[in-house]
Amino acid sequence: QAKAQGRNTLCFYDPAMQAAASARSALEADIRQGLQRGEFLLHYQPVVDARGQVQGAEALVRWSHPQRGLVSPGDFIPVAEQTGLIVPLGQRVLGLACAQLAQWAADPMRRHWRLAVNVSAQEFRHLDFVGGVLQVLEHTGADARRLTLELTESLLLHDVEESITKMQTLRERGVGFSLDDFGTGYSSLSYLKRLPLDQLKIDQGFVRDVLTDPNDAAIACTIVALAQSLGLEVVAEGVETDGQRDFLLRNGCRQFQGYLFGRPAPISDWVQPAS
Ligand code: C2E
Ligand code: MG
Ligand code: MG
Ligand code: MG
């Protein structure tokens, strides 16, 4: 208690911390306004199979800010998380993503595509996360079986039982679950076995030096093998070169995402597939 009080006092008088706090509340107000004005949009990055065929995409949020231009999620997601704005923002992202899925469903070339959407910790922990997802699915008419939610290890381990319950409820409707940035967290393998997952994503940090760093290569191959033995799909993210792709392919990885196949872009920039 004394410690907490001390921290508050320090916070109040420390000019650097106070500057950070006021920058945060300015950004908070800005995000809130951005939500009202519809400034958040999605870029889509292709996910391809072993033959390089697009089998879906990951939706990545961008903020089209009137003064700052296109802002990356790293610059506003943390504050959105701290302020609770991640809940309405996440709902917006999901709404846009599911509307896109519903549009693909009407296109014979794209109706089989899956769409992955990132979910933050505070968003997932929110009391009505499951209800929010189901509401968006219903509202947009998107097929739940084409939607994958990307979660992270730390998020799931916060309250494993609660996480499992939420995941199971959505899985019954057909929603898939992927563990993003796999290998960077602290999941114990016993938890991994219990979580109702469909997919692991090898963190791009292991893919980057997979050809030059034997440790990264070993970790990447271990994740592929682990996924296979648990009956999970595995996606390598951050694949930028043919060499990285070939190495991962030789070692059993069958799904890829990275600049080699396409950068995140508005869907209108995607090349129309030949029909
Ligand atoms: P993530 O989900 O792990 O997404 C992958 C990030 O790697 C994206 O950055 C993507 O643009 C980038 N990337 C993809 N391919 C390559 C590559 O070949 N090389 C390199 N160097 N980078 C690549 P981005 O879009 O800046 O997103 C960063 C993180 O922000 C995401 O990491 C995710 O954790 C979070 N995020 C993005 N969109 C959302 C969202 O809608 N909601 C939430 N809650 N988080 C989001
Ligand atoms: Mg992701
Ligand atoms: Mg990732
Ligand atoms: Mg990441």
Side-chain angles (χ1 to χ4, degrees), residues 16-236:
M17 286 185 81
Q18 210 161 22
S22 70
R24 192 164 55 232
S25 53
L27 184 53
E28 176 183 0
D30 217 11
I31 295 172
R32 188 165 280 133
Q33 194 171 57
L35 277 167
Q36 276 158 7
R37 295 181 175 172
E39 292 170 0
F40 293 93
L41 51 94
L42 296 181
H43 280 186
Y44 296 83
Q45 184 175 37
V47 178
V48 305
D49 66 15
R51 293 176 306 154
Q53 300 278 339
V54 175
Q55 51 173 35
E58 177 175 4
L60 295 155
V61 70
R62 301 289 183 261
W63 183 4
S64 178
H65 192 281
Q67 281 88 43
R68 296 163 67 195
L70 209 58
V71 185
S72 293
D75 294 335
F76 60 87
I77 292 281
V79 170
E81 279 249 305
Q82 288 160 18
T83 56
L85 286 171
I86 194 68
V87 173
L89 178 58
Q91 197 74 1
R92 181 70 53 87
V93 164
L94 208 55
L96 293 168
C98 287
Q100 187 60 64
L101 262 183
Q103 230 174 300
W104 286 345
D107 177 347
M109 302 299 295
R110 297 171 169 185
R111 64 185 347 146
H112 63 284
W113 285 2
R114 302 190 57 84
L115 186 55
V117 175
N118 294 282
V119 175
S120 303
Q122 295 307 325
E123 195 184 340
F124 185 72
R125 277 176 218 159
H126 186 259
L127 204 62
D128 200 28
F129 174 72
V130 170
V133 175
L134 294 177
Q135 198 185 319
V136 169
L137 283 168
E138 196 177 338
H139 185 75
T140 57
D143 183 351
R145 292 168 303 178
R146 299 273 164 257
L147 179 67
T148 299
L149 298 178
E150 295 194 359
L151 311 175
T152 57
E153 295 166 75
S154 54
L155 172 165
L156 290 170
L157 297 189
H158 177 76
D159 184 342
V160 180
E161 297 309 324
E162 181 71 20
S163 299
I164 292 175
T165 305
K166 289 185 173 185
M167 291 168 78
Q168 270 166 350
T169 309
L170 287 170
R171 267 183 125 222
E172 279 162 20
R173 307 298 186 97
V175 176
F177 285 92
S178 177
L179 200 45
D180 203 356
D181 306 336
F182 187 70
T184 61
Y186 305 94
S187 352
S188 85
L189 298 181
S190 62
Y191 281 136
L192 195 60
K193 195 183 74 179
R194 292 180 51 210
L195 293 168
L197 289 164
D198 300 281
Q199 183 185 81
L200 302 180
K201 290 187 89 166
I202 306 173
D203 188 70
Q204 56 188 62
F206 302 119
V207 173
R208 190 177 308 121
D209 298 324
V210 82
L211 294 178
T212 50
D213 184 333
N215 292 325
D216 286 340
I219 291 169
C221 293
T222 301
I223 295 173
V224 173
L226 180 66
Q228 284 171 344
S229 59
L230 291 173
L232 303 174
E233 294 176 19
V234 62
V235 182

